[in-house]
Amino acid sequence: MEAGRIRLVSRSRRQLASYMWKYKALYVMALPGVLYFLLFKYVPLAGSLIAFQNYNIFNGITGSEWVGLEHFRKMFEHYDFLRILKNTLLIGLYDTIIAFPAPIVLALLLNELRLVFYKRVLQTIVYMPHFLSWVVVSGIAIGILSPSAGAVNHFLGWLGIEPVYFLGEESYIRSILISSGIWRDSGYGTIIYLAALAGINPDLYEAAEVDGAGRWRQTLAITLPSLLPTIMILFLLHIGKFLDFGFERVIVFLNPLNTENGEILDTYIYKAGLLQQQYSYTTAMGLFKSVVGLVLVLIGNFFSRKTTGESLY
């Protein structure tokens, strides 16, 4: 019995070695990617331990005092935590509801263009803002929204409306953050959807035309159902970053007049962690964000698999 099990294991190992040798080129090509994730995604996870310590850079992780969940308690009891969490949740929700569908709509519109040259030019134009840094994007937005020389206030003045200092009023900051994100990234986000649209069998559209379906009906009956798997996968990846809005795209728009509604967890982590050296405290906040993102992905993946049959795993 034991000898049979040993022979079976030995044969499995030989088959595995033979398989890996057969596809050695693929394994070699995958090696840089695997090393990247190991070095830059998994190894840094060990740094999360400082969320449970009073971390001292001179003592290191092994020499710093362990304090358990003290920093998590401090985070939830912080007088500004609920306000910052509310801002983060609202901005994340607006981004999911408004910004996520924008590339889908734009891809559908681009797909309807029949003049190839015009389509290529338009695609290039909508891709370009993605390559601008958030500093440049904020500079453009501040210039456009300027109360004295901005194009928006010139237009409002033409309508007889008093100039508005958009970045000086906290009620506008969330709209500005979402709008600037759509302008910068929605064009680039169409790439995957356009690739998925190119893979739809044209015979389906020809059959629909024979049945008398117009473009709108074809979009509802063929295009959107064909895009659904791609949409669901990208949506699941998107909600995994629900609380991870990015400090760089927010902090460039913040000023003392709009911080009340504009400050999010990422900007607070930047200020408290890097500027005030509260490494353990801000690591606890980062860990909290990651756990919430993981839970959202698991829940979203479960419901997606149950309702559409599509899931990440």
Side-chain angles (χ1 to χ4, degrees), residues 5 37 124 274 299:
R5 191 182 69 81
F37 277 97
T124 305
L274 292 183
I299 294 173

Side-chain angles (χ1 to χ4, degrees), residues 200-222:
I200 299 175
N201 189 349
D203 292 344
L204 295 174
Y205 292 107
E206 293 176 5
E209 286 179 0
V210 171
D211 291 339
R215 294 302 299 175
W216 176 246
R217 185 63 184 168
Q218 291 175 30
T219 301
L220 294 180
I222 300 173

Side-chain angles (χ1 to χ4, degrees), residues 33-211:
V34 173
L35 289 175
Y36 168 80
F37 277 97
L38 286 175
L39 291 176
F40 298 105
K41 299 295 181 182
Y42 285 95
V43 171
L45 285 177
S48 301
L49 288 175
I50 69 173
F52 306 97
Q53 295 179 321
N54 277 331
Y55 178 69
N56 186 305
I57 59 174
F58 299 105
N59 296 332
I61 294 179
T62 55
S64 298
E65 177 192 6
W66 292 90
V67 294
L69 300 176
E70 174 64 22
H71 293 295
F72 292 92
R73 185 190 62 77
K74 178 182 172 184
M75 176 182 71
F76 288 114
E77 290 180 353
H78 192 279
Y79 65 96
D80 256 351
F81 178 74
L82 288 180
R83 177 183 64 82
I84 296 170
L85 181 62
K86 176 189 168 188
N87 290 341
T88 310
L89 290 174
L90 284 176
I91 291 174
L93 183 64
Y94 296 156
D95 192 57
T96 301
I97 294 175
I98 301 171
F100 178 77
I104 302 171
V105 175
L106 189 56
L108 292 175
L109 294 175
L110 288 171
N111 191 54
E112 292 300 316
L113 296 177
R114 291 294 172 260
L115 191 58
V116 176
F117 175 76
Y118 180 66
K119 183 178 179 180
R120 297 280 170 79
V121 171
L122 201 56
Q123 281 181 272
T124 305
I125 291 172
V126 297
Y127 292 165
M128 291 302 288
H130 176 77
F131 300 100
L132 299 175
S133 71
W134 281 110
V135 176
V136 175
V137 172
S138 71
I140 295 172
I142 290 169
I144 292 174
L145 299 174
S146 167
S148 58
V152 175
N153 275 306
H154 274 297
F155 179 72
L156 293 178
W158 182 68
L159 296 176
I161 300 174
E162 291 293 321
V164 180
Y165 184 19
F166 290 99
L167 285 167
E169 295 189 23
E170 60 190 29
S171 57
Y172 292 116
I173 184 61
R174 293 171 187 156
S175 302
I176 293 171
L177 291 173
I178 301 302
S179 303
S180 59
I182 292 174
W183 178 76
R184 181 180 183 268
D185 293 329
S186 60
Y188 194 75
T190 61
I191 292 176
I192 295 177
Y193 294 114
L194 287 172
L197 287 169
I200 299 175
N201 189 349
D203 292 344
L204 295 174
Y205 292 107
E206 293 176 5
E209 286 179 0
V210 171
D211 291 339

